[in-house]
Amino acid sequence: MVREAYRKVSSNKGSAGVDRESLEKFQENLLGNLYKIWNRMSSGSYFPQPVKEVVIPKAGGGERKLGIPTISDRIAQEVVKTYLEPRVEAVFSKNSYGYRPNKSAHNALEKVRENVRRYSWVVDMDIKAFFDEVNHELLLRAVDKHVSEKWIRMYIVRWLECPIQTSKGELIQKKGEGTPQGGVISPLLSNLFLHYVLDKWLEKEYPQISFVRYADDVIVHCHSESQSLEVLNAIKNRLGQCKLRLSEAKTKIVYCQDYRRPKIKGCPKKFDFLGYTFKPRSKASKTGRVMFLGFDCEISQKSQARIVQKWKDLKFHRQSNITIQDVAAKLRLQTIGILRYYGYFNVASLRKLFRYLQNRLAKWVRNKYKSMGRSYAKAHRWLAEIKISYPTLFYHWQFFKSM
């Protein structure tokens, strides 16, 4: 079990924890380190080290705190996760998609796309500081429903109570709540917690509606505005009973307007989910001859802004000493990821985003070749000629005939 857990952790890479031991350093004495983990876990003498706190900025402002366990602790958590996961997976709701085997963000998005055609209203929910406020007592009550092995419960308790070490070296002790966002076991525990807090409760109390949950992101589909208000108030009360709360600023009721539904003024008509924006959009019929107003998704403005900022941060347009092959290599992996994730439903919706990238490439050409003068037109023509000879040099060239 320890050996298999190590293989999974090593394949996921990841940075060092508070002990500053990287994966490469851990591998220098691999058998000895794995034996130590097995020996301590099997004897009950395993105690986790503090979790390293890493603060990263959010796309919409503010900060998100991630917890990075040590390599050894990640392997120990993976042992328990692999052992426990099949048992709880058997009871999880089909409407839960986050961090589950054989389920993906695209599956969740596809379900929302299907639901907005059937339901006119959406409750777009945001659970405030979920990972920081998960109540340990209630979580362990959920764990006890599925775990009879004392050693599993003991180690889960130790991970939950493990202190956080800040960048200044200060230790923050837990006060009966919170699970580190970044720990190997955290997604499984959070899914188990929300299964009883929300999923099972919604299916029992409101069988006539539908919902999609990806970790702590929840979209609830309703037939009417009054039903949406009723469900939202009921969810607020339910979360309050389970020591959680909604973010009032980020939670809203949305009307999914399309050609079949009457116009309603004064209510939001779009929402974001997993990097996409769902909103009224002009769509073509299957024959392509008729245009109609549908309600569908495309890459969100926040996602586009984040991607553009990453391209700006590369500053490749200033690097006139490198070749065009070097520029293509710098962009390739990120471009593949963008097109595969955000172009999954409609790659044409990314044309505007990649036109921006094409303009930055033209800027690099201008700086690289002084014969271009200051002309963007010449730079674009030069790129068009390169594209004819090497159509796969830049990954996005394969998807857009003209930019």
Side-chain angles (χ1 to χ4, degrees), residues 26 34 54 56 77 198 203 214 247 280 307 314 324 383 399:
F26 183 89
L34 293 182
V54 177
I56 59 172
Q77 289 186 25
L198 205 58
E203 289 168 353
Y214 193 95
S247 169
I307 291 166
L314 287 174
I324 192 168
L383 285 169
F399 298 86

Side-chain angles (χ1 to χ4, degrees), residues 381-397:
R381 282 197 295 272
W382 186 87
L383 285 169
E385 291 171 5
I386 295 293
K387 184 180 177 182
I388 292 171
S389 301
Y390 305 97
T392 61
L393 178 61
F394 288 93
Y395 187 74
H396 68 280
W397 282 357

Side-chain angles (χ1 to χ4, degrees), residues 222-280:
C222 300
H223 290 288
S224 65
E225 185 177 17
S226 59
Q227 187 182 54
S228 302
L229 288 166
E230 178 191 341
V231 170
L232 177 57
N233 287 327
I235 289 173
K236 284 181 182 177
N237 292 333
R238 173 64 178 175
L239 292 179
Q241 292 167 4
C242 300
K243 306 188 188 306
L244 291 174
R245 55 203 170 119
L246 287 179
S247 169
E248 297 290 343
K250 296 180 181 179
T251 297
K252 62 180 183 285
I253 293 174
V254 178
Y255 179 53
C256 306
Q257 184 178 323
D258 64 13
Y259 75 98
R260 302 165 302 165
R261 297 163 183 158
K263 290 184 179 180
I264 297 179
K265 293 183 179 180
C267 62
K269 294 181 178 62
K270 64 179 181 179
F271 63 91
D272 287 359
F273 184 58
L274 301 180
Y276 280 76
T277 294
F278 284 81
K279 62 181 181 180

Side-chain angles (χ1 to χ4, degrees), residues 311-372:
W311 284 336
K312 287 181 178 179
D313 292 343
L314 287 174
K315 297 180 180 178
F316 63 83
H317 66 284
R318 296 181 182 177
Q319 300 171 23
S320 56
N321 60 317
I322 63 176
T323 66
I324 192 168
Q325 290 87 350
D326 295 329
V327 177
K330 277 178 178 283
L331 294 168
R332 186 168 182 80
L333 287 179
Q334 186 189 13
T335 305
I336 290 172
I338 292 166
L339 280 158
R340 286 183 180 175
Y341 185 74
Y342 293 107
Y344 186 83
F345 301 109
N346 180 15
V347 74
S349 64
L350 299 178
R351 180 177 293 276
K352 182 179 178 181
L353 176 65
F354 279 97
R355 191 177 293 131
Y356 173 86
L357 177 60
Q358 197 72 6
N359 288 335
R360 291 198 78 78
L361 291 173
K363 200 171 185 179
W364 174 83
V365 173
R366 283 196 331 163
N367 293 338
K368 173 79 173 177
Y369 302 105
K370 301 305 177 186
S371 59
M372 299 288 168

